[in-house]
Amino acid sequence: MPRNDPSDTIDHHRRRLIGVAAMTFAAFELGAEMKASADSLDTAKAKPGPLKSFGQLRQIDAGQLNVGYAELGPADGKPVALLHGWPYDIHTYVDVAPLLAAKGYRVIVPYQRGYGTTRFRSNETVRNGQQSAFAVDFIALMDALKIERATIGGCDWGARTANIVAALWPERCKAMVSVSGYLIGNQQLGMQPLPPKAELAWWYQFYFATERGRSGYEKNRREFARLIWQTASPRWSFDDATFERSAIAFDNPDHVDIVMHNYRWRLGLANGEPPYDEFEQRLAQAPLIDVPTITLEGDANGAPHQEASAYAKMFWNKYSHRVVGSGIGHNLPQEAPEAFAQAIIDVAGS
């Protein structure tokens, strides 16, 4: 596929990058206002309800994309951005966003590249799914919306994007909530073998490495997504309407290209683009995150994830980890919206 050089967008932000230096790892508890919230929550699991919607979405040109996004709350409220993952969409936050808007926050929930109403502005642009491309997209969206600094929340791919923005552009990230902690990776790490039991959990990554896997995903997007929802959140009793509301986002014409490139790039089976090389080199050094952070984990997360003790040292500012109980799985913001919203409120006020 022909390449469209995105360096104009990327160079605009490159000067903002922080250097990565060797330092002693440390993690600190959040301030007294955050200690008032229990570190281990036992929040009731969200029950499926009537079909809900963000209503009319907005569209804006931002970098390589025309981004579809929901916006709730007062225009002059403190900005909060909520980033979804795969195979999910903006409705991960359909119950979180109103809770935050009611507290006076300006809440932005964008479709990432390859999802929903977000489209590439040029047919010639490479459908790149490498991790830093999503972060550059988000910085471009902030610029387009004239948001200088925001609290960022993310789950799955969205958590990885939030991590990258916090690590490389800390001046744009006031604070962060990240489900499953520190998710920044690199190709070299992705090519290292894991124990067989751990490899089994990544079966779809290896499936996607084949052309049979690509064809299978393209043909069975909904069936595939439903299976991942069920295995990643085994105790989440979502209904058909809830699933279909999100599954529409996978009809995006670029969705399969983005998903395939993302997983193949992780395994070193697909190349990234040269303009992103500097970002990836910095991320490969596992940069510390120096913004106030709360990490969350559901007690029934069926997706591959590390124990919190493995990544606590990566957060070099005020930090707290919370376990959300009562059978909450991987898609934590949608399964336990009150717990996720409270984490945003706590960290934003830290």
Side-chain angles (χ1 to χ4, degrees), residues 86-87 203 207-208 215-231 238 243-244 247-248 250-251 255:
W86 172 89
W203 66 271
Y207 180 60
F208 290 162
S215 298
Y217 185 65
E218 187 162 24
K219 180 179 180 181
N220 303 300
R221 298 182 208 189
R222 279 166 168 73
E223 294 88 344
F224 205 102
R226 184 183 287 272
L227 176 61
I228 297 297
W229 281 33
Q230 291 167 340
T231 56
F238 61 87
F243 174 77
E244 188 58 33
I248 295 170
F250 315 142
D251 293 335
H255 180 73

Side-chain angles (χ1 to χ4, degrees), residues 28-343:
F28 300 94
E29 291 297 326
L30 285 170
E33 73 277 7
M34 300 183 78
K35 288 182 179 179
S37 297
D39 284 338
S40 180
L41 302 180
D42 190 20
T43 304
K45 184 168 57 172
K47 304 295 183 182
L51 188 65
K52 299 177 183 177
S53 171
F54 278 112
Q56 184 66 41
L57 299 183
R58 304 184 184 193
Q59 298 287 145
I60 191 169
D61 287 342
Q64 296 180 341
L65 303 173
N66 178 262
V67 179
Y69 68 100
E71 180 169 346
L72 285 76
D76 60 351
K78 294 180 180 180
V80 171
L82 305 175
L83 307 179
H84 71 82
W86 172 89
Y88 306 98
D89 81 324
I90 61 174
H91 293 94
T92 291
Y93 302 103
V94 72
D95 295 313
V96 172
L99 296 174
L100 296 175
K103 293 290 186 179
Y105 291 98
R106 179 189 180 191
V107 185
I108 307 296
V109 192
Y111 277 117
Q112 299 213 55
R113 56 170 57 194
Y115 294 82
T117 62
T118 291
R119 296 289 188 274
F120 285 89
R121 297 171 65 187
S122 170
N123 290 332
E124 303 303 309
T125 304
V126 176
R127 273 42 177 175
N128 184 341
Q130 71 184 101
Q131 61 180 356
S132 59
F134 290 93
V136 170
D137 289 346
F138 179 69
I139 293 295
L141 177 62
M142 290 184 72
D143 289 345
L145 294 174
K146 303 188 186 312
I147 296 174
E148 186 60 31
R149 198 162 175 247
T151 297
I152 309 173
C155 185
D156 196 81
W157 290 16
R160 179 175 294 109
T161 300
N163 290 178
I164 294 170
V165 171
L168 300 185
W169 291 274
E171 73 279 7
R172 307 302 296 271
C173 182
K174 180 180 187 296
M176 179 177 65
V177 172
S178 177
V179 176
S180 296
Y182 187 93
L183 297 175
I184 295 172
N186 62 75
Q187 284 185 317
Q188 290 70 36
L189 186 63
M191 287 186 278
Q192 296 299 313
L194 299 172
K197 186 176 181 180
E199 298 282 27
L200 178 63
W202 286 109
W203 66 271
Y204 54 87
Q205 181 171 242
F206 305 114
Y207 180 60
F208 290 162
T210 69
E211 285 307 299
R212 174 174 173 167
R214 179 192 176 90
S215 298
Y217 185 65
E218 187 162 24
K219 180 179 180 181
N220 303 300
R221 298 182 208 189
R222 279 166 168 73
E223 294 88 344
F224 205 102
R226 184 183 287 272
L227 176 61
I228 297 297
W229 281 33
Q230 291 167 340
T231 56
S233 298
R235 295 175 61 185
W236 181 26
S237 300
F238 61 87
D239 58 19
D240 290 342
T242 297
F243 174 77
E244 188 58 33
R245 178 183 60 189
S246 291
I248 295 170
F250 315 142
D251 293 335
N252 183 294
D254 302 307
H255 180 73
V256 174
D257 285 341
I258 295 297
V259 172
M260 293 302 112
H261 188 266
N262 179 281
Y263 284 106
R264 292 180 181 185
W265 179 86
R266 293 192 204 185
L267 294 175
L269 300 176
N271 294 326
E273 292 182 88
Y276 298 98
D277 286 350
E278 181 180 343
F279 301 118
E280 298 298 346
Q281 290 165 9
R282 292 180 181 273
L283 296 174
Q285 298 176 58
L288 301 182
I289 292 176
D290 193 16
V291 304
T293 297
I294 294 176
T295 57
L296 298 175
E297 193 65 78
D299 68 337
N301 184 2
H305 64 281
Q306 290 185 310
E307 293 298 322
S309 59
Y311 54 71
K313 63 180 180 283
M314 305 308 295
F315 300 99
W316 208 49
N317 203 303
K318 298 176 181 179
Y319 172 71
S320 178
H321 178 72
R322 299 176 180 179
V323 176
V324 185
S326 297
I328 299 303
H330 186 61
N331 190 18
L332 189 151
Q334 196 165 355
E335 297 175 64
E338 294 87 358
F340 190 90
Q342 189 61 56

